[in-house]
Amino acid sequence: MQSELDKLVGALGVFYARETHLLEKDLGERTLTHRLAVHLESQFGGWDVDCDYNRLGERRLRLPKGSIVSTDDDIGKSIYPDIVVHRRTVPENLLAVEVRKATNHQPLEHDRHKLRALTDPHLWFAYRIGVLLVLGRKNVIASEVYIGGVIDQPLSGWLAGRLGDAGLAAG
C-alpha cells in the first residue's frame, strides 16, 4: 500500500510544481482533479486513471439504499469518485481519491462517507485504497487513507509524513 501512496505523493509533487496557475486562480475542483489525474497516469503504468468514473464493467457504482447520503433512485445513490486508478476491462479497483479545495466549506463527511463505501470490502466494487486530499494553494492541507471501509490511522500518518518529507504538507 505504501508504494501506491508513494506514487500519489510523486504525482502531487509534479502537480504542485506544474499547476501553480490553476491553484493561484482558485479554479474549480474538477479542473484540479483532472490535472492531478493526468499526473497520476504517469505514476501508474498499466492502469487506467479516470475522473468521475462510476462503472465497473457495465455495472454502475451505487451506494446501498438507506445510506446516509440520500438516494436518488430505487437501487441506491450513484457514486462518482473524483479520481480512480483501476482497470476498465477487468474488474480491478486499486485507488479512489476524493479531492477538496481548502476553500470548500462544505462538511467533509460526504467525502468521508464516499471513501468508506468505496473501500468497503463487503461491496462488490471495493477499491483497495481510498485517499481524501484537501488541497491548499501551496500544499496539501490534510489527508486521510481508507482501507477496508475505515480510516487507517497508521497509513494516514505515514502519508502525512511522506507529504511533509516531500515539502507538500502544510505547516
Side-chain angles (χ1 to χ4, degrees):
M1 308 255 177
Q2 291 177 347
S3 65
E4 289 85 1
L5 294 173
D6 259 336
K7 292 176 182 182
L8 176 61
V9 171
L12 283 163
V14 175
F15 172 80
Y16 272 102
R18 294 190 183 164
E19 309 299 345
T20 55
H21 173 81
L22 304 177
L23 295 159
E24 289 170 1
K25 298 298 179 187
D26 198 28
L27 292 171
E29 285 181 15
R30 287 185 181 182
T31 301
L32 300 178
T33 58
H34 165 71
R35 295 306 303 161
L36 179 56
V38 167
H39 300 300
L40 278 168
E41 276 186 321
S42 65
Q43 296 286 328
F44 286 93
W47 291 89
D48 299 304
V49 178
D50 291 303
C51 293
D52 291 329
Y53 198 89
N54 74 331
R55 303 283 172 121
L56 182 56
E58 296 300 315
R59 297 176 70 184
R60 285 193 178 159
L61 305 183
R62 295 180 191 266
L63 292 176
K65 188 165 175 55
S67 60
I68 66 168
V69 176
S70 64
T71 58
D72 60 358
D73 53 47
D74 291 336
I75 300 171
K77 174 82 172 163
S78 293
I79 187 169
Y80 296 88
D82 289 339
I83 303 170
V84 294
V85 178
H86 63 143
R87 298 195 201 288
R88 291 184 200 125
T89 56
V90 178
E92 190 172 3
N93 289 332
L94 178 62
L95 174 65
V97 181
E98 287 295 309
V99 175
R100 293 177 59 93
K101 292 179 6 181
T103 56
N104 182 339
H105 298 294
Q106 297 299 317
L108 280 170
E109 191 52 36
H110 179 73
D111 290 324
R112 288 175 170 148
H113 178 70
K114 279 174 64 176
L115 287 166
R116 285 191 298 269
L118 286 165
T119 60
D120 184 343
H122 300 102
L123 297 179
W124 62 271
F125 56 78
Y127 286 78
R128 285 187 229 156
I129 309 166
V131 177
L132 173 63
L133 296 171
V134 179
L135 303 181
R137 289 187 181 187
K138 304 248 184 245
N139 48 39
V140 177
I141 303 299
S143 61
E144 297 173 350
V145 177
Y146 291 77
I147 306 290
V150 297
I151 189 167
D152 186 298
Q153 294 295 348
L155 272 177
S156 293
W158 183 88
L159 177 59
R162 286 289 296 123
L163 289 167
D165 292 345
L168 297 170

